[in-house]
Amino acid sequence: MKLLKGGIRQKFMVILLTGSLLPLSVAMIITYGYSKKYFKSEVVSYNQNLMYQFQFNIDSYLTGIGSGIYYPYSNSTVYSILTKKSAAKYEEYETISSFMQSIYQLSDDITTVYLENTLRNTAYLFTRNLLSIVSLDASPYLIPQQDS
């Protein structure tokens, strides 16, 4: 309080500083409060929008994959080939190959398509645009027998 006891020059400086700094400080505090509320609501709104987009993308992706899973049953040609017990012909292999290729191309995440025909004991494996046909009668994997 030594400033208030001084001369008129010191009193004038205190009044001017108080008159300019006090409203400026109050304005800064009020602005900070409003900005904090505004940015908080903006961040919440932005995050809600991102979550909605994420949900939509996942739903679309899973719907596409899901429709591919039931594709063998909706394709009557492939379904008839898979339900026959007789040996497959070359034309049937082409049909199965194009069918598996269409599933393979549903998504970039699909790396292998495996289809098993238990009536013929045959499995079809489609990887990197190549169709492999394996007989399930002779297992390609050796299972070690354990002695008791």
Side-chain angles (χ1 to χ4, degrees):
M1 291 291 134
K2 188 177 180 182
L3 289 175
L4 294 177
K5 292 183 180 179
I8 189 129
R9 181 176 173 197
Q10 288 178 340
K11 290 179 183 177
F12 186 66
M13 285 177 47
V14 168
I15 290 172
L16 283 177
L17 280 174
T18 306
S20 62
L21 289 181
L22 186 62
L24 187 60
S25 299
V26 170
M28 286 173 53
I29 291 170
I30 292 171
T31 303
Y32 173 75
Y34 282 121
S35 298
K36 184 177 175 182
K37 288 180 187 177
Y38 174 75
F39 285 122
K40 191 175 187 179
S41 67
E42 282 293 313
V43 167
V44 168
S45 171
Y46 183 74
N47 285 340
Q48 285 176 338
N49 188 21
L50 281 178
M51 291 303 289
Y52 173 75
Q53 289 175 358
F54 176 74
Q55 177 188 2
F56 180 75
N57 288 342
I58 290 293
D59 286 344
S60 299
Y61 177 75
L62 291 177
T63 301
I65 296 296
S67 65
I69 291 171
Y70 297 112
Y71 186 61
Y73 305 107
S74 64
N75 188 330
S76 61
T77 307
V78 173
Y79 186 73
S80 68
I81 291 171
L82 293 177
T83 54
K84 279 193 227 173
K85 284 188 177 183
S86 62
K89 299 174 186 155
Y90 179 74
E91 295 84 23
E92 292 178 355
Y93 290 130
E94 286 183 16
T95 304
I96 289 174
S97 178
S98 64
F99 159 73
M100 293 180 84
Q101 185 175 17
S102 64
I103 292 176
Y104 181 77
Q105 292 172 347
L106 279 175
S107 173
D108 292 337
D109 297 330
I110 298 175
T111 57
T112 302
V113 179
Y114 180 81
L115 183 63
E116 187 173 307
N117 186 344
T118 55
L119 294 175
R120 293 184 191 168
N121 287 332
T122 306
Y124 304 96
L125 181 66
F126 190 85
T127 306
R128 295 188 209 130
N129 292 325
L130 296 173
L131 178 65
S132 302
I133 303 164
V134 179
S135 174
L136 297 178
D137 293 331
S139 175
Y141 304 106
L142 295 177
I143 302 172
Q145 300 294 325
Q146 296 200 0
D147 297 329
S148 323

